[in-house]
Amino acid sequence: MAITSANQLELLQTAEAVAREKMIDPALVVEAMEELLARAAKSRYGAEMDIRVSIDRKTGKATFTRVRTVVEDDELENYQAEFTVEQAKQYMEDPKVGDVFVEEVPPVEMGRIAAQSAKQVILQKVREAERDRQFEEFKDRAGTIINGVVKREEYGNVIVDVGRGEGILRRNEKIGRESYRPNDRIRCYIKDVRRETRGPQIFLSRTAPEFMAELFKMEVPEIYDGIIEIKAVARDPGSRAKIAVISYDGSIDPVGACVGMRGSRVQAVVNELQGEKIDIIPWNEDQPTFLVNALQPAEVTKVVLDEEAGKIEVVVPDEQLSLAIGRRGQNVRLASQLTNLDIDIMTEAEESERRQKEFEERTSLFMDTLDLDEFFAQLLVSEGFTNLEEVAYVELDELLVIDGVDEDTANELQARARDYIEAQNRAALESARELGVEDSLVQFEGLTPQMVEALAKDGVLTLEDFATCADWELAGGWTTVEGERVKDDGILEPFDMSLEEAQDLVMTARIVLGWVDPADLEAEEEEGAEETAEDQEEAGA
């Protein structure tokens, strides 16, 4: 297309046609044309000149103007686009620095090569505007389901036409055995929308847990209305899934509502997910109860929760073990994802064996340290005593309830336990001092001699060293590495120290050393309490 000053109306017609086709603002196309005509004029009149072009939005007439700016004498650099106050006087009355002089110049004819170049630049501008429009349209649709048509497949990735743009369904976001042909209709979850150099990238998924949640929202009106809430979803795409739901209306059964009449609602979701089997589970705030529900269809005998480690032990009947674990560990893996806990499953026989082993170890401990016979040691363990500290410092009445134990025997037991503990403490302190521990750490309240010895063995020799420790270094913790939860052993973890206790001890050490002002801590706690109260009020509202 040759753009000349003669076919002015064609400029507007071209702009409107392109804008209509690409569904963008015609003004953007006209601005691109003005820029190109100005560029062509500069190539004729001189690149140093400030040539501007204005196209009349009604007639299409292009007006070419040369602009010159008044500057200080010592700032004059471009003689074609600037002039001094003295030079401007022949063109303007009373010129001042910063004034602009505009004069019209003859229009420029554009040759075939220039016109072709102009067309390319216009198309580039149009593409940029189109990308911006696409991004603005789809950025707010992330997290929703979209219907599209398969265009083609590239290296296992499916390119999907989603209306005014293209989305990509990567190979790892497809349900395992799915295959698509061009023009197949497809339903996907918009996982992410990002602005990139080659245009907005719309990333689709059919394996995301959120995809299943959105499908249920479409099929179950109670979820859409907020009467039922989906609290958690865990999927093994194409094979099995678990979804936890809760009802805020006591008259509505959340599981029954999601299943639907004769399973119609859940079956619609199953069909969309290529036959993926779905377990619908009632949510419960109590984690052990929720876990029992999550491990369905297996029956659970007992649950032991370790909240600090984020672990939970589940005991099942021997014949239920394979059902609880599932094929290739699928059932327990999904239950773990749903509850966000590490689950250890053991049979009743394994648990009984472990309890027997613990019983024997504690019996042996009391026999060796308190010089008791096996029968008497077993009596102590049977009454719930697990360590020497409990025997040494428990109320005397708790020992007197044991068959055959009178007051003299109870006092003798406590005396032996205290003597042994004191001997252990002396040995631990001697070992710590040999390692170079200082009195500031030994005398710090909250640390036992055994703890001081453990710290010394790890190179913590002074109160200053202790004050620089992180809570997890002392109490241990869990980190996630490449999707796997990994245990970090703490120096004082063998002494059953919690993270909260470690935080309190470290902060107390910093206050003792003068590193932290207690008044500042109180102010922070009050501020935190106020923020929590505000958050709760907002949640209630």
Side-chain angles (χ1 to χ4, degrees):
M1 178 190 73
I3 303 176
T4 69
S5 57
N7 57 6
Q8 296 160 349
L9 276 174
E10 192 177 343
L11 288 173
L12 288 183
Q13 291 168 357
T14 302
E16 288 175 5
V18 171
R20 194 162 47 247
E21 179 188 347
K22 302 295 184 180
M23 301 187 72
I24 60 175
D25 186 356
L28 291 172
V29 185
V30 175
E31 287 171 11
M33 290 177 170
E34 289 174 341
E35 184 182 325
L36 291 163
L37 289 171
R39 192 180 299 177
K42 284 184 179 181
S43 66
R44 174 173 172 181
Y45 290 117
E48 297 291 321
M49 287 192 181
D50 185 359
I51 303 291
R52 302 179 189 179
V53 178
S54 174
I55 297 176
D56 191 294
R57 293 330 192 241
K58 292 182 180 178
T59 64
K61 181 181 178 183
T63 303
F64 291 71
T65 55
R66 177 187 181 188
V67 179
R68 282 187 281 182
T69 306
V70 180
V71 298
E72 298 278 4
D73 292 358
D74 56 349
E75 292 180 1
L76 183 63
E77 293 179 358
N78 183 353
Y79 294 93
Q80 299 291 349
E82 299 169 344
F83 50 17
T84 63
V85 174
E86 195 62 36
Q87 291 170 340
K89 286 180 179 177
Q90 54 185 311
Y91 303 102
M92 307 166 67
E93 290 185 11
D94 191 24
K96 295 183 180 61
V97 173
D99 287 350
V100 173
F101 177 67
V102 180
E103 61 179 332
E104 192 169 339
V105 295
V108 174
E109 300 283 340
M110 292 185 69
R112 183 178 58 81
I113 296 175
Q116 195 65 29
S117 172
K119 183 178 180 182
Q120 292 299 322
V121 176
I122 289 173
L123 290 175
Q124 178 64 25
K125 287 274 185 183
V126 168
R127 278 195 291 270
E128 289 174 5
E130 190 179 18
R131 286 169 185 164
D132 289 340
R133 179 193 58 73
Q134 283 184 14
F135 178 75
E136 292 300 321
E137 178 180 345
F138 284 99
K139 70 175 183 178
D140 296 327
R141 296 181 66 182
T144 62
I145 287 178
I146 193 167
N147 293 312
V149 176
V150 174
K151 291 186 74 172
R152 63 188 181 278
E153 190 166 347
E154 297 176 350
Y155 307 107
N157 302 324
V158 178
I159 309 302
V160 181
D161 184 347
V162 290
R164 298 179 187 173
E166 284 186 355
I168 180 169
L169 180 65
R170 295 189 183 279
R171 182 187 305 173
N172 61 338
E173 297 291 348
K174 293 193 297 183
I175 295 174
R177 50 182 175 270
E178 286 184 329
S179 61
Y180 298 100
R181 295 178 180 177
N183 299 321
D184 281 354
R185 296 200 63 79
I186 186 172
R187 184 183 286 181
C188 299
Y189 176 78
I190 302 179
K191 195 171 184 179
D192 193 16
V193 180
R194 295 201 292 265
R195 193 198 296 269
E196 297 189 356
T197 52
R198 51 183 180 170
Q201 293 292 298
I202 303 166
F203 296 97
L204 307 175
S205 175
R206 284 176 57 80
T207 60
E210 297 86 354
F211 182 46
M212 175 178 287
E214 288 296 313
L215 287 173
F216 269 102
K217 189 183 291 186
M218 294 169 67
E219 296 294 337
V220 184
E222 290 87 348
I223 295 176
Y224 184 83
D225 294 337
I227 299 170
I228 293 174
E229 182 185 354
I230 296 172
K231 299 290 285 185
V233 181
R235 290 183 65 192
D236 190 350
S239 178
R240 195 176 194 88
K242 291 179 183 286
I243 180 168
V245 291
I246 187 172
S247 173
Y248 296 110
D249 184 336
S251 64
I252 294 177
D253 171 27
V255 176
C258 292
V259 171
M261 186 71 71
R262 295 180 181 175
S264 58
R265 291 175 174 176
V266 71
Q267 193 57 47
V269 178
V270 169
N271 291 341
E272 178 62 42
L273 299 176
Q274 305 295 317
E276 191 169 316
K277 294 180 177 64
I278 302 172
D279 296 332
I280 303 172
I281 295 158
W283 169 271
N284 197 300
E285 289 290 342
D286 181 55
Q287 280 189 314
T289 304
F290 179 43
L291 180 64
V292 170
N293 295 339
L295 280 171
Q296 292 176 1
E299 297 175 7
V300 176
T301 307
K302 188 167 77 171
V303 173
V304 181
L305 174 65
D306 183 350
E307 291 187 20
E308 281 186 28
K311 291 185 69 175
I312 199 160
E313 288 182 353
V314 177
V315 181
V316 298
D318 293 20
E319 68 276 6
Q320 293 278 317
L321 181 62
S322 59
L323 190 61
I325 294 174
R327 187 178 61 184
R328 297 176 185 168
Q330 186 183 65
N331 193 55
V332 69
R333 185 171 65 251
L334 290 175
S336 179
Q337 290 174 21
L338 202 68
T339 57
N340 201 28
L341 291 167
D342 279 343
I343 302 172
D344 289 336
I345 292 185
M346 63 179 70
T347 63
E348 290 175 337
E350 288 171 337
E351 197 230 358
S352 175
E353 184 181 332
R354 190 186 68 175
R355 289 174 61 187
Q356 182 62 31
K357 185 177 179 183
E358 288 177 354
F359 187 87
E360 290 171 359
E361 287 175 352
R362 289 169 184 168
T363 300
S364 178
L365 169 70
F366 292 142
M367 288 172 64
D368 295 342
T369 57
L370 302 179
D371 192 22
L372 302 176
D373 60 33
E374 186 177 5
F375 177 73
F376 206 105
Q378 287 176 347
L379 278 178
L380 282 176
V381 177
S382 300
E383 287 296 326
F385 290 95
T386 60
N387 55 54
L388 287 176
E389 284 76 9
E390 290 178 359
V391 176
Y393 304 111
V394 77
E395 292 292 332
L396 206 62
D397 292 344
E398 294 192 33
L399 288 170
L400 293 175
V401 299
I402 302 173
D403 288 340
V405 175
D406 56 21
E407 192 168 331
D408 290 340
T409 306
N411 284 324
E412 177 63 21
L413 276 174
Q414 289 200 320
R416 289 184 188 182
R418 288 170 183 166
D419 288 345
Y420 188 87
I421 291 170
E422 287 171 7
Q424 292 291 97
N425 289 346
R426 285 194 299 273
L429 277 180
E430 287 175 12
S431 172
R433 291 189 188 283
E434 285 175 7
L435 291 166
V437 77
E438 293 186 3
D439 286 344
S440 60
L441 190 62
V442 173
Q443 294 164 5
F444 181 64
E445 189 175 349
L447 296 178
T448 66
Q450 284 80 7
M451 290 180 183
V452 173
E453 181 185 25
L455 289 166
K457 287 179 179 177
D458 208 78
V460 180
L461 303 175
T462 66
L463 192 59
E464 286 82 359
D465 293 340
F466 183 76
T468 59
C469 290
D471 50 13
W472 60 267
E473 288 181 285
L474 300 175
W478 293 81
T479 54
T480 302
V481 180
E482 297 179 355
E484 293 287 329
R485 283 170 62 81
V486 178
K487 183 74 177 68
D488 290 323
D489 294 328
I491 304 171
L492 302 181
E493 191 172 354
F495 306 97
D496 294 328
M497 178 168 287
S498 68
L499 276 173
E500 290 75 15
E501 290 169 336
Q503 288 170 356
D504 290 343
L505 281 175
V506 170
M507 194 55 67
T508 303
R510 291 172 183 174
I511 291 171
V512 169
L513 291 167
W515 296 358
V516 175
D517 187 345
D520 293 340
L521 278 181
E522 289 177 9
E524 284 180 16
E525 287 175 3
E526 288 176 7
E527 188 178 330
E530 288 174 5
E531 288 178 0
T532 303
E534 288 174 6
D535 291 343
Q536 289 174 346
E537 286 177 12
E538 288 177 7

